[in-house]
């Protein structure tokens, strides 16, 4: 099925899924972040250069929902860092391909980091390349590649992109 064959209900559900993802992270509700993924999901944060060249190096590479949950524990309970807020601006996802059960999607994103005592700064800008699947619990990410455009990133990425 081509992307243009999605019905309105499927399109609306996909829009809501992307919006809910950003809202959950912006609210600092990191404990629910893994719920957006399948059990065997892949989540990577990778530079555009490495992605385009087919190089495997990624700033973050997680290969299951259990690893995502571990990342949440690290970000919220283990790692000491200066707290900050995030604001995700996620573009409308473009459905590149769909077979009814799986959609390959792409959406631009911008994540702004704000600390209470300083001006907001761009944390990351790039695109999501996703494989979204329909499950008994609704839409879930089987794969999310966060491909950031800039070559430089902060010396640590704490919260999910």
């Amino acid at each position: 099925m081509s992307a243009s064959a999605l019905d309105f209900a499927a399109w609306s559900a996909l829009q809501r899924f992307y919006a809910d993802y950003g809202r959950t992270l912006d609210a600092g509700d990191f404990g629910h972040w893994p719920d957006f993924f399948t059990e065997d999901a892949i989540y990577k944060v990778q530079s555009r250069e490495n992605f385009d060249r087919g190089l495997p190096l990624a700033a973050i590479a997680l290969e299951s929902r259990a690893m995502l949950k571990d990342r949440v524990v690290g970000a919220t309970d283990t790692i000491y860092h200066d707290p900050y807020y995030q604001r995700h601006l996620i573009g409308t996802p473009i459905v590149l391909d769909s077979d009814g059960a799986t959609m390959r999607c792409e959406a631009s994103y911008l994540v702004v980091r704000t600390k209470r005592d300083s001006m907001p700064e761009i944390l990351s800008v790039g695109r999501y390349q996703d494989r979204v699947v329909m499950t008994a619990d609704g839409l879930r990410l089987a794969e999310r590649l966060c491909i950031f455009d800039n070559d430089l990133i902060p010396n640590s990425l704490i919260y999910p992109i």
Side-chain angles (χ1 to χ4, degrees), residues 1-3 94-100 102-105:
M1 172 188 314
S2 71
I94 298 169
V95 179
L96 303 172
D97 191 28
S98 175
D99 66 7
T102 301
M103 292 178 278
R104 276 191 329 101
C105 305

Side-chain angles (χ1 to χ4, degrees), residues 17-18 37 93 96 102-107 127-132 141-146:
F17 181 75
Y18 274 74
F37 295 83
L96 303 172
T102 301
M103 292 178 278
R104 276 191 329 101
C105 305
E106 183 172 295
R127 70 185 188 272
Y128 296 130
Q129 281 202 339
D130 297 327
R131 193 164 33 94
V132 180
L141 291 161
E143 181 175 49
R144 169 151 279 183
L145 305 179
C146 306

Side-chain angles (χ1 to χ4, degrees), residues 85-101:
Y85 301 104
Q86 291 187 143
R87 182 66 55 194
H88 288 70
L89 302 174
I90 302 171
T92 302
I94 298 169
V95 179
L96 303 172
D97 191 28
S98 175
D99 66 7

Side-chain angles (χ1 to χ4, degrees), residues 98-128:
S98 175
D99 66 7
T102 301
M103 292 178 278
R104 276 191 329 101
C105 305
E106 183 172 295
S108 296
Y109 74 81
L110 170 72
V111 181
V112 177
R113 176 170 60 184
T114 305
K115 297 180 181 180
R116 291 185 55 164
D117 60 349
S118 61
M119 296 297 293
E121 62 183 349
I122 294 174
L123 178 67
S124 184
V125 62
R127 70 185 188 272
Y128 296 130

Side-chain angles (χ1 to χ4, degrees), residues 17-119:
F17 181 75
Y18 274 74
D20 287 346
Y21 181 92
R23 183 173 184 263
T24 297
L25 293 179
D26 292 347
D29 190 6
F30 303 116
H32 284 100
W33 173 63
D35 298 340
F36 286 90
F37 295 83
T38 61
E39 288 295 329
D40 59 348
I42 294 171
Y43 174 82
K44 289 184 182 179
V45 179
Q46 185 177 34
S47 73
R48 181 179 191 162
E49 178 184 13
N50 284 354
F51 177 82
D52 289 347
R53 293 175 63 194
L55 299 173
L57 183 63
I60 299 173
L62 308 173
E63 297 177 356
S64 68
R65 187 186 291 173
M67 288 181 79
L68 274 71
K69 289 178 181 179
D70 186 61
R71 179 71 186 190
V72 169
V73 170
T76 58
D77 296 338
T78 307
I79 302 170
Y80 177 77
H81 63 92
D82 193 15
Y84 61 91
Y85 301 104
Q86 291 187 143
R87 182 66 55 194
H88 288 70
L89 302 174
I90 302 171
T92 302
I94 298 169
V95 179
L96 303 172
D97 191 28
S98 175
D99 66 7
T102 301
M103 292 178 278
R104 276 191 329 101
C105 305
E106 183 172 295
S108 296
Y109 74 81
L110 170 72
V111 181
V112 177
R113 176 170 60 184
T114 305
K115 297 180 181 180
R116 291 185 55 164
D117 60 349
S118 61
M119 296 297 293

